[in-house]
């Protein structure tokens, strides 16, 4: 590996860790970078997933104040992310790459629609809460199911997983968007971590450990950067960033897959 290639992979990891903390979709930076340097798609995807776990750890740490008192909610949603990450990782190893190409843009687009509608849906939820009306029973079931699907997708590929999670939670939760971003960081990190462990157990030979290390070092630093940037963004700006990143993800996947 040349110095140029090593620096390129490191800075791709730095950018990915930053953007993953703010919104998600960092894989749209690291994955094409690895393909550019000639790594096979599965090796690139697996090594990238392992490396990005480090960025998730610093992202969660950076949002620790927004996560205070969130234990009950996360305990309900974390098992769905865990199961989804394992399922998605296994599917990556057994299914052809074309299998998810049709559904991935649809999932991202749905997530964007939910992000746009989020403020209105949240306002209704707050109004019902203030009026003493209990949340609809199906909200919790729908959110858990959605987190499971997002986890499967995240374990399989991961790009724009954060967009999908933010869309789901914006539509089905009355929590402030920055708190939801903290939830997203925890759930996405769980998915990446269990997917990485799955790859280590069943596909050790497909992991390029130098690549994973370089991405991990970059993403680790990027998590700190992203937390400082993301936590300072006003809700409207944060939603705008999510929408722009999601649209870029759809274009890249549709045009270049």
């Amino acid at each position: 590996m040349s110095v140029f290639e090593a620096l390129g992979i490191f800075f791709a990891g730095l950018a990915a860790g930053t953007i993953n903390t703010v919104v998600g979709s960092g894989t749209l930076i690291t994955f094409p970078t690895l393909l550019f340097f000639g790594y096979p798609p599965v090796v690139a995807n697996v090594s990238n997933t392992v490396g990005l776990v480090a960025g998730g750890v610093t992202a969660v740490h950076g949002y620790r104040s927004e996560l205070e008192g969130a234990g009950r909610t996360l305990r309900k949603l974390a098992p769905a992310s865990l199961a989804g990450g394992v399922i998605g990782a296994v599917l990556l190893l057994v299914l052809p790459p074309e299998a998810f190409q049709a559904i991935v843009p649809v999932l991202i687009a749905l997530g964007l629609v939910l992000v746009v509608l989020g403020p209105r849906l949240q306002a209704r939820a707050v109004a019902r809460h203030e009026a003493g009306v209990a949340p609809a029973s199906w909200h919790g079931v729908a959110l858990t199911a959605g987190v499971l699907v997002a986890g499967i997708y995240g374990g399989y590929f991961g790009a724009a997983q954060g967009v999908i999670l933010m869309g789901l939670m914006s539509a089905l939760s009355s929590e402030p968007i920055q708190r939801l971003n903290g939830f997203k960081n925890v759930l996405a990190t769980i998915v990446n971590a269990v997917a990485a462990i799955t790859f280590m157990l069943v596909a050790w030979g497909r992991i390029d450990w130098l690549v994973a290390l370089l991405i991990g070092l970059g993403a680790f630093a990027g998590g700190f950067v992203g937390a400082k940037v993301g936590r300072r963004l006003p809700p409207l700006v944060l939603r705008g960033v999510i929408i722009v990143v999601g649209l870029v993800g759809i274009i890249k996947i549709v045009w270049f897959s």
Side-chain angles (χ1 to χ4, degrees):
M1 180 183 293
S2 67
V3 174
F4 171 74
E5 181 177 335
L7 288 174
I9 294 173
F10 170 81
F11 281 109
L14 176 65
T18 301
I19 197 171
N20 272 345
T21 305
V22 177
V23 55
S25 300
T27 293
L28 294 177
I29 299 173
T30 46
F31 186 68
T33 298
L34 295 180
L35 295 183
F36 171 78
F37 285 120
Y39 293 92
V42 173
V43 172
N45 201 357
V46 169
S47 305
N48 176 63
T49 298
V50 173
L52 288 179
V53 173
V57 173
T58 50
V60 172
H61 179 267
Y63 270 81
R64 60 192 181 280
S65 61
E66 283 79 7
L67 291 170
E68 290 182 3
R72 182 179 179 184
T73 299
L74 292 175
R75 282 193 295 272
K76 289 181 178 179
L77 298 177
S81 287
L82 192 153
V86 173
I87 295 170
V90 172
L91 290 177
L92 172 66
L93 300 175
V94 301
L95 292 179
E98 298 80 10
F100 274 20
Q101 284 182 357
I103 192 62
V104 165
V106 175
L107 287 175
I108 298 175
L110 177 60
L112 292 179
V113 170
L114 293 176
V115 168
V116 172
L117 297 178
R120 181 176 300 176
L121 296 171
Q122 286 182 317
R124 290 181 180 177
V126 171
R128 288 195 300 268
H129 178 74
E130 292 177 347
V133 179
S137 59
W138 62 269
H139 278 199
V141 175
L143 182 56
T144 302
V147 169
L148 174 64
V149 172
I152 294 172
Y153 167 62
Y156 185 89
F157 182 50
Q161 176 190 185
V163 174
I164 297 170
L165 284 171
M166 289 298 289
L168 286 167
M169 293 188 292
S170 293
L172 299 171
S173 171
S174 59
E175 297 280 6
I177 190 168
Q178 288 290 7
R179 187 167 171 84
L180 295 181
N181 210 20
F183 293 175
K184 177 266 296 178
N185 286 333
V186 172
L187 298 175
T189 300
I190 290 173
V191 171
N192 277 348
V194 297
I197 292 171
T198 302
F199 294 147
M200 291 178 194
L201 292 175
V202 302
W204 183 275
R206 297 189 183 187
I207 301 173
D208 188 308
W209 286 101
L210 180 55
V211 167
L213 175 63
L214 289 169
I215 290 177
L217 291 173
F220 188 83
F224 285 115
V225 175
K228 287 185 176 296
V229 173
R231 295 176 67 240
R232 295 177 180 175
L233 292 177
L236 182 61
V237 175
L238 181 55
R239 289 184 190 277
V241 171
I242 294 171
I243 292 168
V244 170
V245 171
L247 290 174
V248 171
I250 292 174
I251 292 170
K252 286 180 71 70
I253 291 170
V254 171
W255 283 9
F256 298 103
S257 61

